Amino acid sequence: MSSGLNGRVVIVGAGHAGGTAAALLRQYGWTGAITLVGAEPRAPYQRPPLSKGLMLGKVAPEELQLKPEGFYAERQIELLTGRHVTCIERDGQRVLLDGGEPLAYDHLIIATGARLRPLPVPGIDLGGVVSLRTDVDALRLRALVKEGTRVLVVGGGYIGLEAAASARTLGAEVCVLERESRLMARVASQELSAFVAGYARNKGVDIQLGASVVGFEGEQGQVRSAQLADGRSLPCDLALVGIGVLAEQSLAEQAGLACEDGVVVNEEALTNDPRISAIGDCTRRPIALFDRTARLESVHNAMEQAKQVAARLCGKPQPAAEAPWTWSDQFDLRLQIAGLTSPDDQVFVRGDAAGNTFAIFHVSPQGLLRAVEAVNAPMDFAFARMAIGKRLRTPGARLSDSAIPLKEVAIA
Ligand code: FAD
């Protein structure tokens, strides 16, 4: 077995987290072998543009690449694309590839991401019932959405809403079906949900809340309508199902690693096996600033955990804890969200909601700024993200007064 910076690292999953970890390991001085194994047929790429620029035709598929052509080969990172890891053998410190070949490791990094939450209803296999996770999905969607296409989006989360906005921009007739009583119920405040619903409706998107899909019906194998629990039948040419994702933790579970809706890791992305780390969408991790664990699905999370594991393996200091953050583009809105909310937060709105430029601040009963949801307000977002990271306090009411500069509102 090798030690120091020259052991053999195997990374399972060549997505945003896995690709970043491989690059950072080399950047931080890892001299041993690095093998990056990915089930998809291409090198690591960025998913955020799939529901935005790629669907709108503003971004070409090759522009999604995380790293330029030749990057991995130049850095002696062995990239195996189109290959599945089928098993982790912890005792033998090796993984098995789909062809049965073993790959030995001194350290293993699980970066298997997430898989789509299934919608187990009749008709789900009909043609025209689609989902959106990969570049292949996005290109298929782009080819199917035309002026006047009747698109039903099942699920009013960020990705469903982004795809709905893109489809509407392309001239489709779009209806969003959300089972809950508001959009983005799991991740956004009431105030943001209501604003986004109103904005999308103004743009001509039909938003149906409390609408639960119980099946699809079709003709000649092609979807023609969705059936709702209340007995209604809504006609469509295309149904995009986007009801969230589940952590892809099956390999870890089979190997007996601790999993609780995500592979359980510590603040340095290490699992309960000292030779196995896990990073990205597949993990449940501690959120240092919030004294709790969470499963996060964001680029920032993938990159932060990639830094944690690369720094640990290369003997570098851990990156400073940051507030989790993400973004979403819908029509001409840029939503930017940082921090985590709690039910006991008080909410303060700053800016001009009627003019589509404002920020919603979430403040704890102790006066700690816990989260921000900014709409076309990048300066407020940047300030709040920094303030959350530094655990700054604020007399909340002053946040709502746009006449007071934010830097004068927050106090250490
Ligand atoms: P992934 O990128 O999913 O990569 C995991 C990889 O592992 C996959 O390629 C998978 O095929 C592979 N894999 C799984 N199992 C195996 C196995 N057994 N063997 C080999 N390979 C395997 N985040 C934001 O912050 N902002 C956004 O605006 C945003 N928009 C998004 C829009 C869309 C349409 C989607 C789908 C996601 C979006 N996200 C966004 C989320 C963000 O892309 C993810 O959080 C990020 O990709 C997570 O990276 P990851 O490496 O953990 O997982």
Side-chain angles (χ1 to χ4, degrees):
M1 191 182 72
S2 44
S3 58
L5 301 183
N6 61 357
R8 185 179 171 100
V9 174
V10 172
I11 304 173
V12 186
H16 217 118
T20 306
L24 285 177
L25 278 168
R26 278 286 181 257
Q27 189 182 322
Y28 293 173
W30 191 262
T31 53
I34 301 174
T35 305
L36 179 57
V37 189
E40 291 183 70
R42 64 182 285 188
Y45 64 93
Q46 308 169 60
R47 296 186 202 280
L50 299 181
S51 44
K52 314 173 181 84
L54 189 80
M55 216 180 132
L56 288 169
K58 292 182 178 168
V59 173
E62 52 282 8
E63 291 177 75
L64 303 180
Q65 290 296 103
L66 207 56
K67 299 290 176 193
E69 189 75 32
F71 177 91
Y72 303 96
E74 280 161 20
R75 285 161 184 76
Q76 281 89 45
I77 295 168
E78 185 185 20
L79 175 62
L80 303 180
T81 54
R83 302 298 305 270
H84 267 94
V85 167
T86 57
C87 174
I88 301 170
E89 295 184 348
R90 285 168 63 190
D91 289 343
Q93 278 181 231
R94 61 182 203 167
V95 300
L96 298 184
L97 293 175
D98 37 17
E101 311 97 290
L103 261 183
Y105 65 81
D106 294 305
H107 198 87
L108 178 68
I109 302 174
I110 301 175
T112 44
R115 65 191 159 85
L116 296 162
R117 183 184 289 277
L119 179 65
V121 299
I124 192 75
D125 295 327
L126 284 166
V129 180
V130 298
S131 53
L132 179 53
R133 180 77 194 167
T134 66
D135 57 343
V136 175
D137 296 336
L139 290 171
R140 179 171 51 178
L141 198 53
R142 188 170 96 183
L144 291 171
V145 175
K146 306 254 183 312
E147 177 102 36
T149 308
R150 292 169 304 173
V151 180
L152 280 184
V153 177
V154 183
Y158 281 125
I159 293 176
L161 290 168
E162 288 179 0
S166 296
R168 183 72 194 132
T169 304
L170 292 168
E173 287 176 31
V174 183
C175 173
V176 175
L177 302 171
E178 170 53 54
R179 188 182 61 179
E180 305 299 326
S181 57
R182 64 187 181 91
L183 296 177
M184 307 178 294
R186 200 172 52 84
V187 288
S189 64
Q190 303 259 11
E191 291 77 6
L192 186 65
S193 296
F195 171 80
V196 167
Y199 196 86
R201 283 182 175 131
N202 273 338
K203 292 281 184 187
V205 178
D206 180 9
I207 305 270
Q208 305 259 343
L209 301 172
S212 194
V213 172
V214 293
F216 297 100
E217 281 185 357
E219 279 166 20
Q220 294 167 339
Q222 189 63 29
V223 69
R224 287 287 168 254
S225 64
Q227 273 62 55
L228 303 192
D230 61 12
R232 281 184 296 159
S233 170
L234 300 181
C236 64
D237 305 308
L238 187 64
L240 171 64
V241 178
I243 57 168
V245 293
L246 302 169
E248 182 48 85
Q249 61 185 35
S250 50
L251 282 177
E253 254 172 345
Q254 283 159 17
L257 295 170
C259 295
E260 286 167 27
D261 179 25
V263 186
V264 176
V265 294
N266 70 11
E267 59 291 334
E268 296 186 2
L270 188 65
T271 69
N272 59 318
D273 180 328
R275 295 192 174 280
I276 306 183
S277 301
I279 56 176
D281 280 11
C282 68
T283 65
R284 168 161 296 275
R285 56 168 288 186
I287 313 292
L289 295 166
F290 291 85
D291 206 18
R292 56 182 266 203
T293 67
R295 185 165 70 73
L296 302 175
E297 297 153 16
S298 69
V299 163
H300 172 252
N301 173 58
M303 296 184 64
E304 187 178 51
Q305 287 188 304
K307 274 186 216 156
Q308 290 172 355
V309 69
R312 172 165 44 78
L313 292 181
C314 295
K316 296 227 178 274
Q318 281 293 303
E322 289 178 4
W325 68 274
T326 187
W327 77 96
S328 175
D329 296 334
Q330 300 171 29
F331 297 107
D332 45 3
L333 299 179
R334 165 144 286 209
L335 314 181
Q336 291 170 296
I337 303 100
L340 298 176
T341 59
S342 279
D344 59 351
D345 288 343
Q346 253 194 302
V347 165
F348 300 92
V349 179
R350 178 185 179 90
D352 176 17
N356 307 323
T357 307
F358 64 103
I360 303 165
F361 294 92
H362 297 252
V363 179
S364 77
Q366 296 75 34
L368 212 55
L369 185 57
R370 276 208 279 229
V372 64
E373 297 168 303
V375 178
N376 294 340
M379 303 297 280
D380 287 0
F381 171 76
F383 180 84
R385 192 183 143 205
M386 178 278 295
I388 296 164
K390 292 192 169 171
R391 291 176 182 264
L392 295 187
R393 285 170 195 280
T394 164
R398 284 163 61 93
L399 284 167
S400 299
D401 186 347
S402 300
I404 308 174
L406 273 180
K407 61 179 185 315
E408 289 174 22
V409 178
I411 46 180

